[in-house]
Amino acid sequence: MEERKMVVGTMSEEVLNRLSVMLDNSTCGWRQLARAVSEQPQFRCSESQLTNCSLQVLSAAGSPARTLLAQLADRSCSLDFLLDCLRKVDHQEAVQYLTSTVEEMIQITVQPQCQQATVGGRVVLTCRATGPPGLSYQWFRGKEEVLDKTGCTPELVLCPLSPVHEGHYICRVNYGEKCIFSQWAHTRLVSSAGSSPGCSSSLFQGSVSGLCIIHQPQPQMLSEGDTLLLECKAEANPPAQYEWYHNRVLMPQHKTSSLKIPCVTTAHRGMYRCKVFNVYHETWSDTAGVTIGPSSITDASWVEYDRSQGSQERHRSTNGPGINPLQPMASHPPPSKQLHATDKVALLIGNMNYLHHSQLCAPIADVHELTNLLRQMDFKVVSLLDLNWQEMNSAVTEFLLLLDKGVYGLLYFAGHGYENYGNSFMIPIDAPTSNTSEHCLCVQNILTRMQEKETGLNVFLLDMCRKRNPHDDVIVQPGLLKVTANTVFGYATCADAEAYEVKRENVSNGIFINFLKQRICEDEKVTVMLDRVAEDMGRCVITRGRQALEMRSNLSERRSLTDQIQTSECSASFSARNLQWAVAHVLPVSKYLHFDCGVTVQLGFAAEFSNIMVIYTRILDKPKEIVSCSAQLTDFPEDVDVDLKKSNQETLLEAGSLLLIKDDLLSPEVPGLYTRIRSLQRLRRELTFTICLHYTYSNMDGEVQERQSVTVGKPLVSKLNLHEPRPPRACSASSTYSLDSFSLDSFNFPDSSSFANGITSVGEASDTWPYYGRESSTTDSLTSSRSANIPEETDSPEICEDPKPLVSSKSLPYSQVNDKNYKYSDYFHSH
């Protein structure tokens, strides 16, 4: 038996689970095995990986040994090496069981391949297996066994071929009562005129070669711990061989038509391709993008931040840095209800890059994830990063403009904060070290202004520290709060306590959002949903006794964030809110620039957040005499924040966009560059920059440059001029909006039909960044699509004289997001 060719991943789940039971003990178990396998560097487990294994006991079905075996399988650990290590730790029961199992294991090493040939030709189907001595082979065509003299050998010879031989074949490998089946192989006859299009040979004859991929690997979106399975099948004569590549690097252990990786991690994200070849031909499969999103809070350390003082203290739990939280309880069918919202709007602020306090990592991820989830529930979402006091105050004022009678309003803040005398204060990035209430925004004051709008539901989610600020002795007296019975506060931590983050090698997430995102879309009363989040957090070992969700509520009705929107009562107000919301979500038109040398350059735009935009440039056309050419952006205004070291990069990741990666947006044949523009809320004039074209002629040594100045208007949130002070607003008890209340002269809105249809052309190129949306069910009532926070590229036609309601989101529905459209890379958060 070729035992050395067999790896841990070939064992069945039943065998792995039984072996795990034997190894789940402290005296002679998985920890001792982990030390033994670490003799080989490729199988050595890090401290965080061992901690991840140990924390599996906190889950009802968790098994540390099973997690360790999955890691060994992922690294292609051979069965004989595993047996040697079990002998070293003197686990006789496991050695005996695994030895007997291996002796009886049957593994197919050569699968029969689909083939096609002409009548009278010759086809050989081959199936070879390893296992105990005495293996026998049975061949079947469909359900009928092939009984000729070649039917009981590893090779089935069909010669001379006739129509009766056409069909699907399979081989059964037997050992006593045990058996295993090969994959199906299709044999078909072709005429001498040629073969199927897309094949590498004009015809498949018994004596002539051919190669054709019939099944391409598909993009996938997974979570850590899932199993990755990619398949690439080909018809070939002689039979095809396979090689898999991950991010253009050969994966030497994977040489079959199926690529299977159990228990994936973020290291497995990226682009996969399969090389298919035989002795005559070679071809490549399509590229399949694989996204690996972070799991809950396994494999993590935690960091404690005192956000009010700007200090941080790192700790590590004695039982490990994090746990896998228990899965949410199954939701009970909701009772029938008549409650609804007239609209749903949300303002999400994440402050990280503080000037005088410690820097935070995670708000970018939490704002991003919460945006995705809220848009699924039809919320209009404005997401902003790194705001100073003026910008935060203006953003809140604009948020209040979106509120009206019956509207659901949600405010989320992640950053430094504190609580004095029962009032919560959000700290802007420009607050001094010894900040007081005059440098911050009081949440209770915002609630007072929200109540004046007669909203249907007010939800505050505060992901910040609630320690007392010793520098602030002023007792703030917010406005008189009304008994509206519609307000819910969700605090990430208790009063006078800090909040925490979980941290991986390159991933950070806030504890609060980590648990909240598993529950927030449940069709339950808001308070019930938050109660369940609190229970989930209570099971977390690293925060027990340190951080616990606190909820304050006077909500008297069963209102849920998933309630439907009904706008018939105030369609004019709804239309006005759509227009106001759309101001912060309009991107520049995709541009095509023509240079004197004959080069055509495309400029494309995508939104990462409401105040962060990505610009890409690519060469669409150039004369033949130009051998090299690139277009770079420069001369950006001082108002915006552009990292010059990360501008004009070949990938979004290199450009600093850790959340968005577009699969094959710019193909190798059409190279392009990315530049990330931050802090658009500080843009005081139209965004103007220079595109510098560098090119070289075939008969010249020197490089030639051409420059063009480009103006793209005021994109995204810059139209709101958040840097300008807002005058005090007198709010009446009933604030009714009309379309006339907005001045449209300074805004270049897209045509409302473009928003409504969710389709905008950006030229003839097929690999631009599209956005997706859905049409409203009525002509005067539009709601935001349930969608992920995906970058959008739009064209902006001239504004209509009679603007219509605009949908608030134009992104791919969350359930349909896959790597062929976008990938989400590492998430960051810190508390």
Side-chain angles (χ1 to χ4, degrees):
M1 179 181 66
E2 299 179 27
E3 184 177 305
R4 291 186 179 275
K5 293 184 179 179
M6 304 180 71
V7 294
V8 174
T10 62
M11 293 191 294
S12 66
E13 283 295 319
E14 179 183 358
V15 173
L16 290 171
N17 290 336
R18 185 171 176 185
L19 191 61
S20 300
V21 172
M22 300 176 186
L23 293 171
D24 279 333
N25 64 81
S26 58
T27 55
C28 183
W30 68 272
R31 286 187 181 275
Q32 290 74 21
L33 176 61
R35 284 195 290 269
V37 300
S38 64
E39 295 178 1
Q40 296 288 340
Q42 66 268 34
F43 303 128
R44 188 173 299 151
C45 296
S46 65
E47 180 184 352
S48 61
Q49 289 171 330
L50 292 175
T51 302
N52 181 27
C53 293
S54 66
L55 291 175
Q56 299 303 313
V57 298
L58 299 175
S59 175
S63 168
R66 182 66 184 87
T67 304
L68 175 63
L69 291 175
Q71 294 176 3
L72 295 178
D74 184 31
R75 302 173 189 182
S76 301
C77 176
S78 63
L79 289 179
D80 60 335
F81 179 71
L82 178 61
L83 272 169
D84 289 341
C85 294
L86 289 172
R87 294 188 185 102
K88 289 180 181 179
V89 301
D90 198 25
H91 200 307
Q92 297 298 329
E93 181 185 11
V95 170
Q96 183 178 358
Y97 173 71
L98 187 57
T99 301
S100 61
T101 300
V102 170
E103 289 176 351
E104 297 180 359
M105 283 183 62
I106 306 171
Q107 180 186 8
I108 294 179
T109 56
V110 178
Q111 296 279 1
Q113 302 296 319
C114 297
Q115 298 188 47
Q116 52 186 0
T118 58
V119 175
R122 180 174 181 269
V123 164
V124 179
L125 298 177
T126 303
C127 177
R128 298 188 184 278
T130 59
L135 295 179
S136 63
Y137 298 83
Q138 285 180 280
W139 286 93
F140 296 83
R141 187 173 72 88
K143 296 183 179 180
E144 298 180 1
E145 184 178 3
V146 180
L147 297 176
D148 62 9
K149 61 181 181 180
T150 63
C152 299
T153 65
E155 293 184 345
L156 175 64
V157 180
L158 305 177
C159 180
L161 277 177
S162 64
V164 71
H165 292 122
E166 192 169 31
H168 289 83
Y169 289 80
I170 194 171
C171 182
R172 184 170 70 183
V173 185
N174 305 291
Y175 175 69
E177 296 181 354
K178 295 181 178 295
C179 68
I180 184 173
F181 284 90
S182 72
Q183 67 184 19
W184 287 96
H186 185 206
T187 298
R188 60 182 177 179
L189 301 178
V190 295
S191 63
S192 58
S195 61
S196 302
C199 301
S200 59
S201 175
S202 61
L203 56 93
F204 280 69
Q205 297 180 355
S207 58
V208 179
S209 66
L211 182 63
C212 180
I213 295 179
I214 60 175
H215 180 79
Q216 298 283 358
Q218 300 299 314
Q220 296 189 34
M221 177 174 285
L222 305 173
S223 297
E224 288 182 310
D226 292 345
T227 297
L228 171 63
L229 179 61
L230 296 173
E231 292 185 321
C232 177
K233 295 182 180 179
E235 291 182 347
N237 187 26
Q241 300 181 57
Y242 301 86
E243 288 181 352
W244 286 92
Y245 288 77
H246 176 213
N247 293 332
R248 301 183 182 181
V249 178
L250 175 66
M251 306 174 71
Q253 302 297 332
H254 299 278
K255 295 185 177 182
T256 64
S257 60
S258 297
L259 170 66
K260 183 178 181 180
I261 302 178
C263 199
V264 295
T265 66
T266 54
H268 296 110
R269 64 162 57 99
M271 314 310 297
Y272 289 81
R273 293 188 75 184
C274 184
K275 176 183 174 183
V276 187
F277 60 95
N278 57 22
V279 294
Y280 299 109
H281 296 283
E282 172 184 309
T283 187
W284 289 84
S285 73
D286 294 341
T287 299
V290 175
T291 297
I292 310 295
S295 60
S296 295
I297 50 174
T298 59
D299 189 20
S301 63
W302 56 272
V303 181
E304 176 179 340
Y305 286 86
D306 181 350
R307 290 184 166 178
S308 61
Q309 301 304 316
S311 62
Q312 70 180 41
E313 183 179 354
R314 297 184 179 268
H315 306 271
R316 191 171 287 273
S317 170
T318 55
N319 293 326
I323 70 164
N324 239 343
L326 299 179
Q327 294 298 319
M329 298 175 290
S331 301
H332 298 287
S336 59
K337 56 180 182 179
Q338 302 297 324
L339 298 176
H340 64 272
T342 58
D343 203 356
K344 295 193 285 190
V345 298
L347 172 63
L348 278 55
I349 299 176
N351 285 345
M352 302 180 299
N353 298 306
Y354 281 85
L355 302 179
H356 308 292
H357 297 264
S358 62
Q359 305 298 295
L360 304 177
C361 298
I364 185 174
D366 284 358
V367 169
H368 190 271
E369 291 193 68
L370 192 56
T371 298
N372 296 340
L373 297 169
L374 290 174
R375 284 184 174 174
Q376 291 181 61
M377 296 181 287
D378 291 331
F379 273 84
K380 296 178 175 68
V381 182
V382 176
S383 56
L384 301 168
L385 297 184
D386 291 331
L387 304 184
N388 59 34
W389 183 91
Q390 181 58 66
E391 294 158 358
M392 284 184 68
N393 184 69
S394 298
V396 169
T397 301
E398 294 296 329
F399 169 65
L400 293 171
L401 285 176
L402 298 177
L403 303 182
D404 198 4
K405 184 176 182 180
V407 175
Y408 287 10
L410 184 146
L411 175 65
Y412 170 78
F413 174 75
H416 286 304
Y418 68 93
E419 182 171 301
N420 276 14
Y421 308 107
N423 293 321
S424 301
F425 296 91
M426 303 180 293
I427 301 180
I429 63 170
D430 61 342
T433 304
S434 302
N435 56 267
T436 63
S437 58
E438 66 176 328
H439 306 111
C440 308
L441 270 71
C442 178
V443 176
Q444 282 68 24
N445 277 333
I446 298 174
L447 173 59
T448 303
R449 298 168 67 185
M450 290 178 69
Q451 287 185 336
E452 294 175 344
K453 302 290 185 177
E454 298 186 358
T455 47
L457 176 66
N458 301 319
V459 178
F460 293 83
L461 301 177
L462 301 177
D463 207 350
M464 64 184 197
C465 173
R466 295 178 67 194
K467 297 285 286 186
R468 189 183 182 282
N469 182 1
H471 305 291
D472 188 4
D473 294 328
V474 177
I475 302 178
V476 175
Q477 297 290 345
L480 183 62
L481 294 177
K482 301 177 182 179
V483 183
T484 54
N486 66 348
T487 302
V488 178
F489 278 88
Y491 295 95
T493 189
C494 298
D496 202 31
E498 297 92 354
Y500 301 86
E501 75 167 1
V502 289
K503 186 176 181 63
R504 298 176 182 84
E505 180 180 352
N506 57 354
V507 176
S508 297
N509 275 111
I511 289 283
F512 177 48
I513 291 296
N514 219 336
F515 287 99
L516 179 67
K517 67 185 180 183
Q518 302 177 53
R519 299 283 190 184
I520 194 170
C521 291
E522 292 181 354
D523 188 16
E524 295 285 355
K525 185 178 179 181
V526 179
T527 52
V528 173
M529 180 270 293
L530 289 175
D531 275 336
R532 291 180 179 177
V533 175
E535 293 172 2
D536 293 341
M537 289 180 63
R539 301 186 184 102
C540 181
V541 174
I542 63 174
T543 56
R544 189 174 300 156
R546 294 176 175 269
Q547 178 179 348
L549 183 149
E550 181 178 328
M551 181 183 62
R552 297 179 184 177
S553 170
N554 60 12
L555 185 60
S556 60
E557 298 176 306
R558 189 192 178 278
R559 294 197 178 268
S560 167
L561 297 180
T562 59
D563 290 344
Q564 298 298 311
I565 297 175
Q566 296 183 13
T567 61
S568 58
E569 299 177 2
C570 52
S571 58
S573 299
F574 182 80
S575 300
R577 282 191 299 275
N578 269 305
L579 287 173
Q580 184 70 359
W581 181 92
V583 170
H585 293 82
V586 177
L587 282 162
V589 181
S590 183
K591 292 183 176 293
Y592 300 87
L593 306 178
H594 304 282
F595 288 80
D596 294 339
C597 61
V599 172
T600 300
V601 177
Q602 182 190 11
L603 282 180
F605 306 88
E608 186 174 335
F609 292 91
S610 298
N611 63 337
I612 297 180
M613 181 175 69
V614 175
I615 306 177
Y616 72 81
T617 62
R618 61 178 174 182
I619 309 299
L620 292 184
D621 188 27
K622 65 181 181 65
K624 294 181 180 180
E625 59 269 19
I626 294 180
V627 294
S628 65
C629 186
S630 68
Q632 299 185 1
L633 306 183
T634 184
D635 298 337
F636 287 97
E638 296 181 356
D639 298 341
V640 297
D641 186 4
V642 179
D643 189 342
L644 297 180
K645 294 182 179 179
K646 294 183 178 181
S647 61
N648 300 299
Q649 297 297 317
E650 294 183 355
T651 67
L652 277 166
L653 189 63
E654 293 173 332
S657 180
L658 301 176
L659 301 175
L660 307 172
I661 299 179
K662 178 72 167 59
D663 175 20
D664 284 345
L665 172 63
L666 304 179
S667 61
E669 293 78 11
V670 187
L673 302 176
Y674 299 90
T675 300
R676 188 165 177 258
I677 315 297
R678 299 173 294 180
S679 302
L680 287 174
Q681 74 276 6
R682 294 170 195 159
L683 186 64
R684 296 176 180 271
R685 304 175 185 84
E686 291 188 336
L687 180 59
T688 300
F689 53 88
T690 301
I691 180 167
C692 186
L693 183 69
H694 303 260
Y695 57 93
T696 304
Y697 286 101
S698 57
N699 57 354
M700 295 177 59
D701 294 332
E703 184 180 77
V704 184
Q705 293 187 15
E706 285 189 45
R707 300 167 68 91
Q708 282 194 34
S709 179
V710 178
T711 300
V712 297
K714 301 191 71 175
L716 300 177
V717 78
S718 63
K719 286 189 175 72
L720 296 180
N721 297 319
L722 299 184
H723 55 84
E724 296 179 352
R726 272 12 182 206
R729 298 180 183 269
C731 298
S732 61
S734 177
S735 55
T736 302
Y737 284 86
S738 68
L739 292 174
D740 298 333
S741 63
F742 294 97
S743 175
L744 305 179
D745 296 337
S746 60
F747 302 136
N748 180 24
F749 287 108
D751 188 294
S752 59
S753 61
S754 300
F755 279 84
N757 294 329
I759 301 174
T760 301
S761 171
V762 289
E764 297 297 324
S766 61
D767 54 352
T768 54
W769 286 4
Y771 62 77
Y772 302 81
R774 66 181 186 186
E775 295 189 27
S776 167
S777 58
T778 61
T779 57
D780 63 343
S781 173
L782 294 174
T783 60
S784 58
S785 61
R786 297 176 181 270
S787 54
N789 184 25
I790 297 174
E792 305 165 357
E793 181 179 350
T794 64
D795 281 346
S796 300
E798 294 301 321
I799 182 171
C800 298
E801 294 181 2
D802 183 20
K804 300 177 182 179
L806 308 179
V807 295
S808 60
S809 179
K810 311 161 293 303
S811 302
L812 183 65
Y814 187 78
S815 60
Q816 300 177 19
V817 173
N818 57 55
D819 262 8
K820 208 162 188 178
N821 295 290
Y822 300 95
K823 296 194 299 183
Y824 297 90
S825 187
D826 300 341
Y827 296 162
F828 288 80
H829 198 294
S830 55
H831 299 303

